[in-house]
Amino acid sequence: MEPWELREWYADYLDACNRHDLDAIRSFVHPAVRRAHLPGGDDAWVSDMAELFHGFPDWRWRRIQLVVEDDRIAAHLRGSGTHSRDFRGVAPTRRHANIAEYAMYRVAGGRITEFSGSSDAELLAQLEVAT
């Protein structure tokens, strides 16, 4: 894909994410996707997204910066939403979380084949109840 095509492709992917459309999200992910420090495969990818959307029904990403080189995409995003249901064992806090995210993707055949990025540590830290 040309750089402009990858930019358009990523905009479509981010739109599917912001609509919380798990079937559409799956269509952007290769069945055998490799994820750094996370279980691989599209089932694990979709499961993680479903868990996030469950805990934060209003979760949205905003693109800050996108860099495309060859078959790689580097994205700086801002993710935010209100913690209104259980998420990763944390009961709802009703707190609004707003985090910086960084992600690197390798795309082949119109699907994400490799991923590495920031963890949930910042998000979970924002949910901690003050003592």
Side-chain angles (χ1 to χ4, degrees):
M1 296 174 102
E2 294 295 322
W4 65 270
E5 291 173 307
L6 272 177
R7 288 179 181 282
E8 288 181 3
W9 177 92
Y10 192 78
D12 291 342
Y13 170 70
L14 199 57
D15 178 64
C17 291
N18 284 333
R19 287 184 285 115
H20 298 189
D21 185 338
L22 296 174
D23 291 330
I25 292 167
R26 185 183 297 273
S27 75
F28 286 91
V29 179
H30 191 277
V33 63
R34 292 189 325 236
R35 304 188 305 164
H37 312 293
L38 295 169
D42 62 343
D43 287 339
W45 187 293
V46 171
S47 177
D48 285 350
M49 295 293 260
E51 184 177 17
L52 176 68
F53 300 154
H54 173 80
F56 297 82
D58 62 344
W59 190 266
R60 297 289 179 274
W61 285 276
R62 181 172 53 92
R63 190 186 83 199
I64 305 298
Q65 186 169 14
L66 195 69
V67 177
V68 176
E69 182 177 307
D70 300 324
D71 61 351
R72 311 263 176 185
I73 296 172
H76 173 198
L77 307 165
R78 202 36 115 167
S80 65
T82 306
H83 181 219
S84 58
R85 296 185 195 140
D86 287 351
F87 176 72
R88 306 262 162 106
V90 179
T93 62
R94 306 281 183 241
R95 290 183 180 184
H96 185 79
N98 186 341
I99 63 169
E101 294 187 47
Y102 300 92
M104 298 286 296
Y105 306 89
R106 181 174 172 265
V107 178
R111 293 192 168 202
I112 300 166
T113 59
E114 295 177 27
F115 168 83
S116 64
S118 45
S119 70
D120 288 338
E122 183 182 0
L123 176 57
L124 291 169
Q126 288 188 29
L127 302 182
E128 287 184 10
V129 178
T131 58

